[in-house]
Amino acid sequence: MIYLETERLILRDYREDDFNEYYRLKTDSKTMYYLQDIQLFTKEEGYKDFNMVLDDMSKPDRMFYFLHTELKDSHEQIGSVGYTVVDDTPIGKIVGAGYFIYPKFWGKGYTTEAFQRVLEFAFTENNVYRVATGCLAENIGSERVMQKCGLIKEAEHIDYEWHDGKMKTRLEYRLLRSEWR
């Protein structure tokens, strides 16, 4: 069971009694605006998705490390931060990272704080070699989180992704274990 802390936050594995919070987060249209491919719409989808996450946590070759993220003082959920293992190579795991945070918590430094702690866990405790992530260029807040956490811009794909009725530019960032800190 993963349990991490920062000055203001707790990041932990999901528990069975977290379903309602998980479902509320992943069905929130503003929170999931840039992550529509993983947004949930029905309770049935929610149960299937949530049970897959819980089942994966007990596997020796776990793939999903997205953590329930909450305020330390009130235990209110602010979102989810983490990564998915894409490959497990002889030199370490290659992962795709991300975060989805309720809009009311944007601009307060919580996402950067949480993502920095996830990166520390990944590189020091979970044998991660490479973290990759990205965002649409218009998602300036998400890009700032990547920059503040020391990620390096690798690519800008012009008119790369169909989103919300039009083609949009996608930015790709990375961080290697040797580049961390």
Side-chain angles (χ1 to χ4, degrees):
M1 182 82 157
I2 298 170
Y3 182 92
L4 309 172
E5 290 189 20
T6 69
E7 182 181 330
R8 302 179 295 167
L9 304 171
I10 294 169
L11 297 90
R12 62 168 174 77
D13 274 331
Y14 283 95
R15 302 181 302 236
E16 284 189 32
D17 63 346
D18 289 326
F19 173 75
N20 288 333
E21 286 183 307
Y22 181 87
Y23 182 71
R24 186 171 47 91
L25 178 69
K26 289 195 73 176
T27 56
D28 185 86
S29 59
K30 287 184 180 174
T31 301
M32 302 306 290
Y33 179 72
Y34 289 111
L35 297 164
Q36 293 172 1
D37 58 324
I38 63 168
Q39 183 176 357
L40 300 174
F41 297 96
T42 67
K43 286 263 186 178
E44 184 179 320
E45 284 179 322
Y47 286 122
K48 183 178 177 184
D49 194 58
F50 188 66
N51 286 326
M52 180 189 66
V53 168
L54 294 179
D55 290 345
D56 184 68
M57 288 178 357
S58 63
K59 294 179 181 176
D61 58 344
R62 179 176 175 169
M63 288 181 50
F64 305 110
Y65 290 86
F66 275 85
L67 305 173
H68 169 93
T69 305
E70 64 185 44
L71 297 175
K72 232 183 212 182
D73 58 359
S74 67
H75 297 286
E76 181 180 5
Q77 180 188 33
I78 69 160
S80 186
V81 180
Y83 55 88
T84 300
V85 177
V86 177
D87 195 9
D88 194 355
T89 74
I91 59 171
K93 296 173 185 166
I94 311 296
V95 304
Y99 32 82
F100 38 108
I101 305 296
Y102 284 116
K104 78 179 202 175
F105 297 107
W106 295 351
K108 297 176 178 10
Y110 293 127
T111 310
T112 300
E113 186 177 326
F115 194 44
Q116 285 173 333
R117 183 64 182 97
V118 165
L119 290 170
E120 179 184 4
F121 168 80
F123 291 129
T124 65
E125 299 178 53
N126 198 238
N127 194 35
V128 169
Y129 176 75
R130 185 181 204 280
V131 172
T133 191
C135 66
L136 293 180
E138 69 186 43
N139 192 351
I140 296 164
S142 183
E143 184 180 19
R144 281 299 296 140
V145 169
M146 294 173 214
Q147 293 167 340
K148 288 178 187 177
C149 290
L151 278 76
I152 297 161
K153 187 175 180 180
E154 282 194 311
E156 181 172 342
H157 304 286
I158 308 299
D159 285 350
Y160 181 79
E161 186 174 323
W162 183 258
H163 180 264
D164 205 18
K166 57 188 159 210
M167 293 303 294
K168 295 185 179 180
T169 297
R170 181 162 181 82
L171 308 175
E172 300 291 338
Y173 279 76
R174 69 120 207 297
L175 190 63
L176 303 178
R177 184 186 304 138
S178 61
E179 297 166 330
W180 177 68
R181 295 260 174 183

